[in-house]
Amino acid sequence: MPAKDTAAKADKNRIPDGRGPAKSVMKATLKTELQILSEIGRISNSSASLTEKLQQTVEAVARGMGKEGASVFLLDRSGATVTLAAAIGLNQETIGKLSFPLGMGIAGWVAEQKVPLALEDPFSDPRFQYVPETGIERFKSLSAAPIMDESRCLGVIFVLSATPWNASASDITLLTTTANQISGVIQNARLLDDLQGRLSELGTIYDIGMALTSTLDFEELLALIAKNATQALQAKGCAIRLLNLPVTRASGFAASYSLIDDTVKEVDATIGEAIARKTAEDKKPLLIRDLSLDTSFENTAALTPTSIISVPLIFHNKVNGIITLYNKESGQPFYEDDLQFLSTIASGAAVALENAAMYERMEELATDTRTRAEKLSILYDIGNAMSTTLDLDKLLRIILTAATMGSGLA
């Protein structure tokens, strides 16, 4: 082998000694990585909301990697859908609205497979789903990495390039490292949100408890329960159906009180009683994230997509009614923590309704007692008159006067 070729081969296989271009690239990549991670650390320690932190993060990532766009998709609590949570370079109107089912689209695929992906031409990839409203056509190439919490995927981060870009191994490593750092941002922000949410729930439960003890008027109490439950869980509708309470004076279920938005009136009218009946029979809360995917109820095909939570009002192991909420104002489905919160409200509401019903029964008994006493008094006056006079006209006047004052003896 010629000496020149041998030298060239040796030079090609030589490990960088710190003086070659490979070392310079490595140093530049390390510097970029440190800059991005430092910026994310600063963002993580700020008092901004999770939405603001994610937006600042994608801006820092795009700037640090020298690309024109970046975005973050978050996996919802059910683990079924990824939704655009922050973006730069894409149309801002699609944030919070653009979603993909797990496994669908590039975001859904990366979230499901939990592996990074680089595509120089994503438009030709069968996994790519084009959504023109996003403005994705401005970009030619992309790289994506899952945001992981140990083995659980929290979301996906994208870097978007307006020019063709064949991402290198170091680019993927940088993006994966960045995704790991973003995982901490998300977890810390969610932990803080959860704590604040719990405090808010405790305050709401206290306020509802105070409201429920402020009245014994049955109709007013039903209105308070529906109003507070709807506001606390930001629902579009609430229906309370009573059962086994004497004040209902009816057999079966009746919509004793409802606070229903027009968008869910048809849903409640169609399956409200069926949901209440199932909840009462099971004696346990019911969660339906998406009615269109639930096959437990009939005649739902023509109804709009609806999320429902239904909880029994139980007092001394007896179901006295059902409280049902429809759809969240945010458009998100109800989750287990929403169901648990409504169950807490329902436990206090069941006691309050029983007390109000008992109060109304006592009022009715007091009225009946007074009526009977009046009737007995009339009979006593008539009997006394009959024993003290033989004058028929006088006797008839006494009877007529007593009957008129007592509204009759019937």
Side-chain angles (χ1 to χ4, degrees):
M1 179 181 294
K4 184 176 180 179
D5 291 344
T6 303
K9 185 175 181 180
D11 183 67
K12 181 178 180 181
N13 295 325
R14 184 183 299 125
I15 296 175
D17 60 1
R19 296 190 297 269
K23 186 65 175 180
S24 299
V25 172
M26 188 181 301
K27 289 177 67 177
T29 301
L30 181 60
K31 182 179 179 181
T32 300
E33 180 178 327
L34 290 175
Q35 287 175 339
I36 294 174
L37 297 183
S38 176
E39 183 69 8
I40 294 176
R42 182 193 63 77
I43 294 169
S44 178
N45 293 327
S46 72
S47 59
S49 67
L50 177 58
T51 300
E52 293 170 332
K53 287 180 178 180
L54 290 177
Q55 185 60 38
Q56 293 172 18
T57 297
V58 295
E59 291 172 3
V61 171
R63 184 170 57 249
M65 295 189 69
K67 301 302 177 185
E68 295 76 18
S71 62
V72 166
F73 284 77
L74 292 182
L75 198 64
D76 67 10
R77 286 182 286 179
S78 68
T81 306
V82 288
T83 301
L84 183 63
I88 181 173
L90 298 176
N91 294 337
Q92 296 295 297
E93 295 80 8
T94 56
I95 294 176
K97 299 178 181 178
L98 177 63
S99 297
F100 295 101
L102 190 67
M104 302 296 290
I106 301 298
W109 187 89
V110 172
E112 181 183 55
Q113 299 299 318
K114 302 175 184 178
V115 293
L117 179 67
L119 296 173
E120 186 174 4
D121 181 15
F123 295 90
S124 63
D125 192 281
R127 293 165 292 191
F128 182 80
Q129 290 190 357
Y130 176 59
V131 182
E133 293 82 6
T134 62
I136 189 65
E137 65 276 0
R138 305 184 190 114
F139 300 98
K140 304 299 182 184
S141 304
L142 62 81
S143 288
I147 302 170
M148 302 296 296
D149 173 21
E150 295 183 351
S151 62
R152 182 169 65 102
C153 183
L154 302 178
V156 179
I157 181 170
F158 283 83
V159 173
L160 309 170
S161 176
T163 57
W165 172 42
N166 184 13
S168 65
S170 60
D171 291 329
I172 299 299
T173 300
L174 174 57
L175 188 58
T176 302
T177 303
T178 302
N180 293 335
Q181 188 79 353
I182 294 173
S183 173
V185 175
I186 295 171
Q187 291 180 71
N188 291 338
R190 284 181 171 173
L191 178 60
L192 180 59
D193 287 345
D194 286 344
L195 290 174
Q196 291 175 338
R198 293 299 179 188
L199 288 174
S200 177
E201 286 179 5
L202 289 174
T204 301
I205 290 171
Y206 174 79
D207 291 340
I208 292 174
M210 293 297 292
L212 295 183
T213 57
S214 66
T215 181
L216 287 172
D217 181 88
F218 205 80
E219 291 298 325
E220 185 179 348
L221 187 59
L222 287 172
L224 279 171
I225 294 170
K227 178 183 176 182
N228 282 286
T230 302
Q231 290 180 345
L233 286 158
Q234 299 178 345
K236 288 190 175 182
C238 173
I240 301 175
R241 289 174 165 83
L242 298 181
L243 181 71
N244 297 326
L245 284 173
V247 292
T248 61
R249 292 192 177 93
S251 60
F253 286 99
S256 300
Y257 190 86
S258 62
L259 192 64
I260 301 287
D261 186 271
D262 289 340
T263 58
V264 293
K265 274 185 178 179
E266 184 182 1
V267 177
D268 183 65
T270 303
I271 63 166
E273 289 191 16
I275 288 174
R277 190 173 297 108
K278 177 175 175 56
T279 305
E281 290 172 354
D282 295 342
K283 279 191 175 182
K284 63 181 183 180
L286 173 67
L287 167 62
I288 302 175
R289 286 198 179 92
D290 187 348
L291 183 62
S292 65
L293 303 177
D294 193 287
T295 59
S296 305
F297 301 96
E298 298 178 352
N299 304 320
T300 62
L303 298 176
T304 58
T306 309
S307 185
I308 302 170
I309 48 177
S310 186
V311 175
L313 300 169
I314 299 177
F315 183 80
H316 287 176
N317 204 36
K318 180 181 69 173
V319 178
N320 285 337
I322 306 296
I323 181 170
T324 305
L325 295 187
Y326 299 95
N327 280 354
K328 300 193 80 170
E329 293 283 357
S330 64
Q332 293 294 313
F334 288 111
Y335 292 99
E336 291 291 343
D337 52 348
D338 298 314
L339 191 65
Q340 184 177 5
F341 189 28
L342 183 60
S343 297
T344 303
I345 295 174
S347 62
V351 175
L353 286 172
E354 183 69 26
N355 290 340
M358 186 178 298
Y359 175 76
E360 291 206 3
R361 290 198 295 269
M362 293 299 294
E363 286 282 290
E364 289 178 0
L365 287 173
T367 301
D368 289 343
T369 301
R370 285 194 297 270
T371 302
R372 289 178 181 275
E374 290 174 357
K375 291 179 178 180
L376 289 172
S377 176
I378 292 171
L379 292 174
Y380 173 79
D381 291 342
I382 293 173
N384 187 53
M386 293 177 66
S387 64
T388 58
T389 182
L390 294 176
D391 187 327
L392 183 59
D393 289 338
K394 185 177 180 181
L395 184 60
L396 290 173
R397 284 196 300 272
I398 291 173
I399 294 172
L400 181 61
T401 301
T404 303
M405 292 177 62
S407 300
L409 298 176

